Amino acid sequence: MLRQQLRPGTARRTQSPSLTRRFVSRSLIRAPVACRAQLSEESALAEAFESALLEAQQKGGARQRGRYTEEPEPEDERERVFLVGAAIKGEQKKYTYDVHESVEELGRLAETAGLKVMGSTFQMLDAPNMSTYIGSGKVAEVARAVAALDVETVIFDDELSPGQLRNLERALGGTGPDGLPVDVRVCDRTALILDIFSQRAQTREGQLQVELAQTEYQLPRLTKMWTHLDRVGGGGQVKGTGEKQIEIDKRLLRDKAAQLRRELEAVRTHRRQYREKRSSTPIPVVGICGYTNAGKSTLLNTLTGAGVLAEDQLFATLDPTTRRVRLKGNKEILLSDTVGFIQKLPTELVAAFRATLEEIQDASIILHVVDISHPNAAAQNEAVMQVLTELGVDHIPIVTAWNKIDACSNPDEVRRIAAKRSRTVCISGMTGEGLQQLMEVLGAELEKAMVEVHALLPYSAGDLLSDLHTGGRIKNLEYKEDGVEVMAAAPRSLAGRLQALGYLLNELEGEDEDEDDGVVLLA
C-alpha cells in the first residue's frame, strides 16, 4: 500500500560497462600491431580496431589520463511531498473516483504545483478519525515514511479541520540528525488547489477570486498558527489586557475578505453590464465547460485560433476567454471558455469564481467537453454535472463533445455508442476530427431554441433586419409600402426586442421542455 522512492544519490552505483569495453579494445589492438609485417590483412584489421576504439571513446565520454569525468546531475530542489488518501465505506457512488484514482489525481495536482511526489498511501475507514482523520496506526506508518524519504510536506486528499491539521503536524514531526526538532507541514487538497490557482491566475479578476478563496480558507485555520501567543497589551484608551493575537489576525482577515468581496462585486456588476449589452445583439453564446484537462482550450484554439495556453496539465488556464465562430449559413456564435471543474471542488472556489461561472448561466447552449480517452470519463462527467446542478443551469440545452477520440484504444466502438445518443459528437481538438459535425449540431440546437416570428419592420429599423439575418434564419421576406414583412426563426432575446417595440404580428410561443440532456456516458 505504501509506495516509496529512493532519494537521489542513494541508489547503488553499478560498474560502467565502458571500462570493460576500453580494456578489451586495447587488448585486441596489440596483437594485430605485433604481426603487421606478416599479413597486410591484419594491418587493415588493426586500423579497424583503432576506429572502433575511437568510437568507443566518443560514446563513453571524455577521459582524462585514463579516468572518466562526468557532469554532475542538477539537484532537484522541488519541495518533497507525501500523499495520503482515505476511502469512507458507504460513500462510494456508481460513477466516482476510487481512492487509488483520487490519490493519483492528487499526485498530478502536486506536480502541477511544482512539487516532487516521494510516495503515497491510503486507508479504508468506517468513519474519519475526529483527531487525525486517519487511524493512529496509519499516522505512525506515514511518520516513518516521512522520516525515511526526508519529506517536507504531507498532503491529504480530503479537507482537514483545523484541529486535525494541528494534531497531524505534531504527530508527523520528528527529530533530525542534529537532535533538533524537524517540522513537517500538513495541508489538504483544497489548499493545494488554491495554491495552483494562485500561481495560474493572470487577470486582476482571477487574482481577486483566488485571494478571496484563500482568505476564506485561512480564517478558521489560524488557531494552529497562534496558540503560543498570549493576549496583547492594550493601549490608548483601552484598559486592561488587550485582544489575543489570533483575534487581531481574524479581524484583519475578515476585513480583507470584505474588501475583496466589494471589489469582486464591482467585477460582477461590470460583467453583468457586459452580458446585458451582449444580449442586445443577436449573437448566441455557447459556454464551454468540462473537467480540467479535458481539452477545452485546445478545442477553442483549433476552432478560433484564440492562442489560449493549452498544456497537458490540470488547470492550465483559469481566466475565461470568449471568441467568435462562424457557423454554416453565415451564422455567428460566441464560444466562451471557463475554468475547468474537478472532483472534490472546494466550496470556497465555487463561491469565489461565481462571477466567472455566471458566463455559463447566461449561455444559450452549454458545450460539455469530455476526455473520452480517460479511464475515469464517467466519473469526470458526474463531477461536472454536479457543479452545473449547483449553478442552476439544468434548463440550458447541453451538447456533449467526446474529445480525444484519436487517443482511444477502441475509437470505432466509442463512435458507435455516441451515434446512439442525442447531441453527442466524437471529436479531436488536436486533429480536427468531428469538428464540422459538432458545429452542425450546435447550429441545429441553436435553431431549436429559436422562436417563430412574423414581424413588420419599418424601413428605419434596418438594424433589426440585419440582426435577423445574422442571428436568425429568414424564411420569407416581402417589401411593402409601410415596411418589410418578414417570417423568420429568431433567438428569443431578439424576438423579445421585436415584441417590446411593437413590430411583432404574432404571439411568441412558450419555451419547450427539454427532457434529454444527452450526457450519459459509458457505464
Side-chain angles (χ1 to χ4, degrees), residues 15-27 63 68:
Q15 185 180 7
S16 171
S18 300
L19 291 172
T20 305
R21 189 163 56 242
R22 182 178 64 178
F23 174 77
V24 172
S25 299
R26 289 183 176 176
S27 299
R63 292 184 177 88
Y68 289 96

Side-chain angles (χ1 to χ4, degrees), residues 253-309:
L253 276 181
R254 281 192 291 265
D255 292 344
K256 180 181 178 182
Q259 176 62 28
L260 289 170
R261 288 194 193 93
R262 285 192 292 271
E263 294 185 46
L264 273 175
E265 186 57 37
V267 171
R268 293 185 67 179
T269 302
H270 175 74
R271 277 193 172 274
R272 194 179 303 116
Q273 293 171 347
Y274 171 72
R275 287 194 301 270
E276 289 172 357
K277 180 180 179 181
R278 192 171 64 190
S279 65
S280 65
T281 66
I283 303 178
V285 178
V286 176
I288 305 177
C289 74
Y291 206 81
T292 180
N293 205 35
K296 301 182 295 299
S297 296
T298 300
L299 174 61
L300 186 66
N301 288 338
T302 303
L303 289 174
T304 68
V308 178
L309 175 66

